[in-house]
Amino acid sequence: MKIGELARLSGLTPSRIRFYERIGLLKTVDRRPNGYRTYPQQAVMILGLVTTAQRAGFTLDEIRTLLPSDLKHWDHATLMDALTRKIADIEALQVRLTQSRAHLLRLIEDIQARPDDMDCAANAHRVLTNMLAEHPEALDVTSDDIRLLDATDRRQSVSPGRGKKTASR
Amino acid sequence: MKIGELARLSGLTPSRIRFYERIGLLKTVDRRPNGYRTYPQQAVMILGLVTTAQRAGFTLDEIRTLLPSDLKHWDHATLMDALTRKIADIEALQVRLTQSRAHLLRLIEDIQARPDDMDCAANAHRVLTNMLAEHPEALDVTSDDIRLLDATDRRQSVSPGRGKKTASR
DNA sequence: CCTAACGTTGAAGGTAGCTTAAAGGTCAAG
DNA sequence: CTTGACCTTTAAGCTACCTTCAACGTTAGG
């Protein structure tokens, strides 16, 4: 079949199919005398495999190293290993997402939990401080630093502060 | 403070801080007579906020539109809306990941469930067919098409198939 | 024969979020 | 005075995954 038909059958664009060929992902392609590419039926299955693997989170590079030239001769051990590691990756990502979600929920609650006697600016400050205190890993900042920020921010200071590390003139 | 110190306090590289300034993410910056950038203490908090928001899944573009120039004057409604939608995004992603994970697990099981009397090639074919049959959305392919592939693959056909444009919808 | 649809190529563009390079100015210490 | 750490700029590069463009050849149908 020609590239257009393969595109229709696989749901990919011709440009994408040619791209996959260029990067060595689709090797089952011949040429007709007129220069047109011609594909075996198998190509549909290969492309389906590629997009499926992509949805599962594999990069094209990974897919290329896993994909045998002949769909019948897989490297069983390598494949199983890759699948297992990909599952672990997914699980790690799920953990991160769960944390992010919880973090956002806490943030929403925190914003809404504004004491009646607190104005918006002070509430903003309170929420921000809580948030940054919750994740000190990213900020190379000690609790001393947080307290310091706290103070300077409250004073709305833009003047040359003279803290410990913070005040390099 | 100068950019080096801000980099140390925030945990970001100077280039990244300059980059954020260039794309309008960090506007609290002045210049000394010698051309050096100089930042208020607040900048540490802003950068912390940016990286935190990034970890939560916000793009820099989203962060820019949400970040007020003054940390004390947030657009409360817009912010809450963005947070809520981001949580929904995360949940959608979690669903997808759960599906991917389940899919990979099924795939592993399927590969291992090779009947004793089946050779590797046939098993590979069986697994592939199951897999592609499971996700017809991506492939613009009917079960008829699958059966077709099935057949041609078995016959190892590479012949000039001017196959009827089977079910090209 | 003409036209529309299809095919070919190589190069460049685009997204997101930075980093790196090149070429230079500033500053404090020894 | 020199060294080295710091600062400046613009431009280009990088990863991943394609798309788009320009310029051109081929084929099927009327």
Side-chain angles (χ1 to χ4, degrees):
Chain A
M1 75 183 84
K2 289 187 290 184
I3 198 169
E5 193 185 358
L6 178 57
R8 255 175 279 118
L9 288 178
S10 66
L12 310 189
T13 62
S15 70
R16 193 166 162 188
I17 296 173
R18 284 191 278 255
F19 172 70
Y20 284 173
E21 179 186 342
R22 233 175 45 226
I23 65 172
L25 209 47
L26 182 57
K27 295 191 253 272
T28 60
V29 48
D30 274 327
R31 295 300 183 122
R32 302 239 187 105
N34 60 10
Y36 285 17
R37 289 170 178 81
T38 187
Y39 301 91
Q41 300 289 338
Q42 239 204 355
V44 182
M45 190 175 268
I46 293 178
L47 291 181
L49 198 48
V50 169
T51 54
T52 300
Q54 266 191 299
R55 275 210 311 280
F58 289 89
T59 68
L60 297 184
D61 249 27
E62 290 171 323
I63 298 172
R64 182 177 45 216
T65 64
L66 289 175
L67 205 53
S69 38
D70 181 341
L71 280 191
K72 289 180 167 28
H73 297 86
W74 293 81
D75 182 340
H76 190 270
T78 305
L79 176 63
M80 293 303 266
D81 196 55
L83 292 176
T84 305
R85 271 191 283 105
K86 190 56 65 181
I87 288 177
D89 290 352
I90 289 178
E91 285 168 353
L93 186 49
Q94 284 181 320
V95 168
R96 275 202 44 219
L97 285 180
T98 299
Q99 289 171 349
S100 286
R101 198 181 88 101
H103 182 201
L104 290 178
L105 283 172
R106 277 201 308 277
L107 186 54
I108 286 183
E109 279 179 29
D110 200 11
I111 291 173
Q112 284 171 338
R114 171 166 69 87
D116 282 351
D117 59 340
M118 187 178 268
D119 65 9
C120 275
N123 192 46
H125 173 78
R126 180 182 61 83
V127 169
L128 279 180
T129 308
N130 283 351
M131 210 187 65
L132 295 182
E134 241 185 279
H135 287 278
E137 329 82 74
L139 266 318
D140 176 19
V141 162
T142 67
S143 44
D144 279 338
D145 290 318
I146 298 236
R147 260 181 273 124
L148 178 62
L149 285 173
D150 221 61
T152 53
D153 197 28
R154 245 176 222 136
R155 283 193 240 103
Q156 186 71 314
S157 153
V158 187
S159 61
R162 62 286 166 259
K164 319 176 73 166
K165 331 167 13 169
T166 43
S168 86
R169 161 202 308 254
Chain B
M1 76 182 82
K2 288 187 291 184
I3 198 169
E5 195 185 358
L6 178 57
R8 254 175 279 120
L9 289 178
S10 65
L12 309 190
T13 61
S15 71
R16 192 165 162 190
I17 296 174
R18 291 192 200 100
F19 172 71
Y20 283 173
E21 178 185 343
R22 231 173 50 224
I23 64 172
L25 210 45
L26 182 57
K27 295 190 252 272
T28 59
V29 49
D30 273 328
R31 295 298 183 127
R32 303 239 189 108
N34 60 9
Y36 286 16
R37 287 170 179 81
T38 187
Y39 301 91
Q41 301 288 339
Q42 240 205 353
V44 182
M45 189 174 269
I46 294 177
L47 290 181
L49 199 48
V50 169
T51 55
T52 300
Q54 265 191 300
R55 274 210 311 281
F58 288 90
T59 68
L60 296 184
D61 250 26
E62 290 171 323
I63 298 172
R64 182 178 44 216
T65 64
L66 289 174
L67 254 192
S69 37
D70 181 341
L71 282 191
K72 290 182 165 24
H73 296 86
W74 294 82
D75 182 340
H76 191 271
T78 305
L79 177 62
M80 293 303 265
D81 196 55
L83 292 176
T84 306
R85 270 190 283 105
K86 190 56 67 180
I87 289 177
D89 290 352
I90 289 178
E91 284 167 354
L93 187 49
Q94 283 181 319
V95 168
R96 274 202 45 216
L97 286 180
T98 299
Q99 289 171 348
S100 286
R101 199 181 87 100
H103 183 203
L104 290 179
L105 284 172
R106 276 199 310 277
L107 187 54
I108 286 183
E109 278 179 30
D110 200 10
I111 291 174
Q112 284 171 337
R114 170 166 68 88
D116 282 351
D117 60 340
M118 187 179 268
D119 64 9
C120 276
N123 192 45
H125 174 79
R126 179 181 61 82
V127 169
L128 279 180
T129 308
N130 283 350
M131 209 188 66
L132 295 182
E134 242 186 279
H135 286 278
E137 329 83 73
L139 265 318
D140 177 13
V141 162
T142 66
S143 43
D144 278 338
D145 291 317
I146 298 235
R147 260 182 272 123
L148 177 61
L149 286 174
D150 222 59
T152 54
D153 198 26
R154 248 178 221 136
R155 283 192 239 102
Q156 190 70 317
S157 151
V158 188
S159 60
R162 73 288 160 263
K164 41 198 180 162
K165 314 186 1 168
T166 45
S168 67
R169 330 172 185 280

